[in-house]
Amino acid sequence: MKEFGLALAGCIVLGLTTAALGQDKVSQEKLIGTWQIKEGIVVEFTKDGKMKLTAKVEDRTVSFDGTYVLNGNKLTTTVKQGGKEQKEVSTIKKVTDEVLVVEDMSGKTQELRRKTK
């Protein structure tokens, strides 16, 4: 089960950190908040550089804490789970009040939607 958690965290982090943006600089204020990656998987970015990934897996919820650094349009995320640290760098393609588009290092683009309460 520990391997599953690491694999899930890796996929989520990879998806987030593969961002490529049409802008040179992204405002951290636009990034702060909770974003839905896909059904049952969300990531929250806080103003103090912390992040939390939460995924519903079958009948339970799995969470991973991490940090992020935004430099221009490059988003570096670091997640620790089970004593292992996963660090990824993505490029933010677009960020608005409602949509965050990131591209990973392999060129895969993912669109996240801001989650409202």
Side-chain angles (χ1 to χ4, degrees), residues 8-110:
L8 178 62
C11 289
I12 294 171
V13 169
L14 182 61
L16 285 175
T17 56
T18 16
L21 190 68
Q23 305 165 255
D24 288 336
K25 184 167 174 138
V26 175
S27 166
Q28 183 177 4
E29 295 302 316
K30 290 266 190 195
L31 186 63
I32 294 169
T34 303
W35 300 89
Q36 183 165 347
I37 299 170
K38 58 171 100 172
E39 190 64 37
I41 304 174
V42 297
V43 60
E44 178 183 9
F45 295 101
T46 62
K47 64 182 175 183
D48 61 355
K50 294 183 181 175
M51 62 180 280
K52 183 173 191 165
L53 297 165
T54 305
K56 290 185 180 181
V57 181
E58 296 173 3
D59 60 345
R60 65 189 186 108
T61 300
V62 180
S63 293
F64 303 97
D65 292 319
T67 59
Y68 74 92
V69 174
L70 184 61
N71 187 7
N73 68 340
K74 299 296 183 187
L75 177 64
T76 303
T77 57
T78 306
V79 176
K80 246 185 184 177
Q81 203 270 333
K84 298 201 180 218
E85 187 174 270
Q86 292 191 323
K87 187 175 189 175
E88 300 288 336
V89 178
S90 300
T91 304
I92 298 175
K93 303 289 267 172
K94 176 181 178 181
V95 63
T96 68
D97 290 338
E98 299 170 358
V99 176
L100 171 63
V101 179
V102 295
E103 183 178 278
D104 67 16
M105 296 178 287
S106 68
K108 181 179 176 188
T109 301
Q110 189 167 26

